[in-house]
Amino acid sequence: MRLFLNAVFDFKAKDKAFTTVPPVLREVLLEGGWNPQRFLFDLYDINEAASEGHTPHAKLIKKFPQLTPYWHNTSQRFAAMNHRPPWSNEPIPPTSAHGYGFFSNFPGRKSGVPLFSPWDPAIDMETLEGICASIPRPCPFYSAIAVWDGIAWYPDSSLIPALRNVQLGHGQEDFAPGDWPSNHDFYECCVGYQSNCLLLSFAYGTGPELEVRVELTDNHPMEDALAVVERFAQRLGKPVKQLVRAVYPWEQREKIAGDLAAVGLWFQVWRQSTVEALKTAYCQAQENPPEKPVSAKTLVKRFVAHNSFSRHNLCRWDDYGWCKRLPHGYWLYLSFAGIPTARYSNQVSIGLTCYGANFQLQYSCSLFGDLGAPQNSPADEAAFHAFQILLERFEAEVVPSLAQTFGDTPPEFYQHSHSWDYTKEFDVTER
């Protein structure tokens, strides 16, 4: 297992981070004596322009012809328009115009070994910075990722990337280099790419992010990794969140997938057996209401304090819950939906996400959907009585079962803003 500290810096759209950040990265890398060995990119957009010549991809390839080998397109019509010489009389295939296309030189894998396709020494730091300078104008891609990869933060740093192993949809197959999946779930793989690297990314509807990724080893623990991050924080400001991601050896992918599937079946049975007990507890509590009811906001505060939950020390807009450390090194993330004091109110429910280095398990319980309460039932004492029973049973019954299957998680592993984690390869409930 390899562990990587991911320190996240985010920017507003008006900051034009793809133009302003790369020169800063170059300066910090030069000051630190760090020399990236690879330069990766994944640039995705939907082909909806009147002609291929007006798409972001076409504009970029005119400026950087060496990107041609990295072009992938789901629409045969646009692929033909892109590569067909002007003097050709061959008809353009009449396929749908609304496919998508992307440039990508992210590694494929064969038998777990990272392979880059195609290898082109012309993709250097200047080329990557030129690509970034074209975003978002004149090339407004739907999503874009740029990576300064293979950085020896320390003399003994590994320059081999840790390819994520159990990704949904294409985690169990061996892909030849460049043989990407038929849909662009590959974006989730790229943004979760783990290596000693700098990764600059954005997707439509979200602001740009820079992640400084440093591998944690016995010789270089968390303190050393944080010192590397601090070099960038001095120029870019404090990171908005930090997390540690784990990548397991390729040889363990089948065992991990089997463990996730087995726990998923067991958890379905446990959940069904628990719902009936919670219904009974909720109905009994409704029959004996307190003499002086309190607000839902107060009930949330009491629940959080009584069960030793707290906020992460780094929070941002996507971190709206509470967390606590469990036995075996696991984390438990807590959230509520539909509390009347919230700005957008819907059905009252509690959400639990328990996760370790090699699994995550999500569970939600709704008053209306699971406990049979009327649709507009308030978040009252009866609801929180049922939520308390749920939490106690979860910690007493589910957590030990998870430990039997997945073992202990290293103390260095943690994740901030877990609800916004892109990677789902260890998700028990998504199988």
Side-chain angles (χ1 to χ4, degrees):
M1 176 180 62
R2 297 173 67 181
L3 295 174
F4 291 83
L5 173 66
N6 289 209
V8 183
F9 300 82
D10 66 1
F11 309 92
K12 300 183 184 302
K14 66 180 181 180
D15 296 331
K16 299 180 180 179
F18 269 74
T19 301
T20 59
V21 170
V24 175
L25 301 184
R26 178 190 281 263
E27 293 177 5
V28 178
L29 291 172
L30 182 62
E31 292 169 0
W34 296 312
N35 183 31
Q37 301 298 306
R38 293 179 293 270
F39 302 94
L40 308 179
F41 50 86
D42 183 84
L43 311 169
Y44 164 78
D45 200 61
I46 301 171
N47 296 331
E48 293 184 342
S51 68
E52 178 68 4
H54 292 88
T55 65
H57 297 106
K59 293 177 181 178
L60 192 63
I61 209 167
K62 289 178 182 178
K63 187 175 182 180
F64 298 100
Q66 64 267 44
L67 298 182
T68 301
Y70 304 102
W71 170 245
H72 307 270
N73 200 325
T74 60
S75 169
Q76 294 179 15
R77 174 176 182 272
F78 277 119
M81 292 176 67
N82 192 51
H83 297 291
R84 169 175 169 268
W87 58 84
S88 175
N89 294 321
E90 295 180 6
I92 297 174
T95 55
S96 172
H98 298 287
Y100 63 81
F102 61 99
F103 292 115
S104 184
N105 69 340
F106 266 76
R109 58 189 171 212
K110 198 70 175 176
S111 301
V113 178
L115 299 171
F116 293 81
S117 173
W119 179 257
D120 186 351
I123 308 299
D124 53 18
M125 188 179 295
E126 287 72 20
T127 301
L128 188 67
E129 290 185 1
I131 292 171
C132 291
S134 301
I135 302 170
R137 294 288 182 271
C139 300
F141 290 105
Y142 188 87
S143 67
I145 301 172
V147 184
W148 292 253
D149 194 26
I151 303 174
W153 301 119
Y154 322 110
D156 57 347
S157 293
S158 173
L159 303 185
I160 300 175
L163 299 184
R164 306 188 71 84
N165 298 332
V166 197
Q167 294 149 350
L168 289 176
H170 51 282
Q172 299 302 302
E173 305 87 357
D174 285 339
F175 280 96
D179 183 14
W180 313 127
S182 58
N183 56 33
H184 204 65
D185 289 341
F186 190 62
Y187 173 80
E188 278 70 28
C189 306
C190 295
V191 81
Y193 178 80
Q194 295 301 301
S195 173
N196 286 302
C197 70
L198 302 169
L199 188 147
L200 182 63
S201 68
F202 86 91
Y204 180 78
T206 62
E209 292 185 345
L210 171 72
E211 296 198 28
V212 179
R213 297 182 172 173
V214 185
E215 185 170 8
L216 305 178
T217 64
D218 293 338
N219 294 332
H220 301 286
M222 181 65 73
E223 292 76 13
D224 291 351
L226 290 174
V228 172
V229 173
E230 179 59 26
R231 298 286 291 271
F232 292 89
Q234 291 174 2
R235 303 292 296 275
L236 299 171
K238 183 180 178 181
V240 293
K241 71 173 182 178
Q242 294 178 167
L243 59 150
V244 171
R245 288 195 173 116
V247 183
Y248 280 76
W250 178 263
E251 294 76 15
Q252 294 188 25
R253 69 193 189 283
E254 293 182 1
K255 180 183 183 302
I256 292 173
D259 291 343
L260 295 172
V263 171
L265 293 174
W266 174 86
F267 185 68
Q268 289 180 13
V269 175
W270 180 88
R271 177 171 183 165
Q272 291 173 359
S273 65
T274 303
V275 166
E276 293 302 321
L278 293 177
K279 284 182 179 179
T280 301
Y282 175 70
C283 292
Q284 291 176 348
Q286 286 282 66
E287 295 174 357
N288 299 289
E291 294 182 1
K292 295 182 178 180
V294 296
S295 68
K297 184 176 181 180
T298 299
L299 291 171
V300 169
K301 288 184 177 179
R302 289 179 181 176
F303 189 90
V304 168
H306 176 72
N307 294 289
S308 303
F309 284 96
S310 61
R311 295 283 188 182
H312 279 301
N313 59 350
L314 287 176
C315 296
R316 65 172 189 174
W317 60 269
D318 59 353
D319 191 353
Y320 49 81
W322 301 263
C323 66
K324 70 174 178 178
R325 198 95 194 207
L326 297 176
H328 309 287
Y330 300 162
W331 284 91
L332 186 61
Y333 182 88
L334 167 72
S335 62
F336 291 102
I339 302 301
T341 54
R343 182 176 179 183
Y344 301 105
S345 181
N346 50 22
Q347 298 173 12
V348 176
S349 65
I350 183 175
L352 299 175
T353 302
C354 182
Y355 54 95
N358 51 349
F359 76 92
Q360 72 170 13
L361 187 151
Q362 302 179 71
Y363 178 43
S364 62
C365 180
S366 167
L367 292 185
F368 172 69
D370 296 305
L371 304 188
Q375 187 165 3
N376 296 322
S377 297
D380 56 9
E381 284 88 341
F384 278 83
H385 176 70
F387 294 158
Q388 184 65 43
I389 294 175
L390 167 62
L391 179 62
E392 292 173 356
R393 290 194 58 172
F394 189 93
E395 294 188 26
E397 300 171 13
V398 176
V399 174
S401 180
L402 294 172
Q404 283 185 339
T405 301
F406 299 112
D408 292 343
T409 283
E412 297 87 359
F413 179 83
Y414 69 97
Q415 293 189 329
H416 289 167
S417 299
H418 185 74
S419 62
W420 193 248
D421 186 13
Y422 291 99
T423 56
K424 300 295 183 183
E425 73 266 45
F426 298 138
D427 199 321
V428 172
T429 52
E430 289 288 336
R431 299 189 172 264

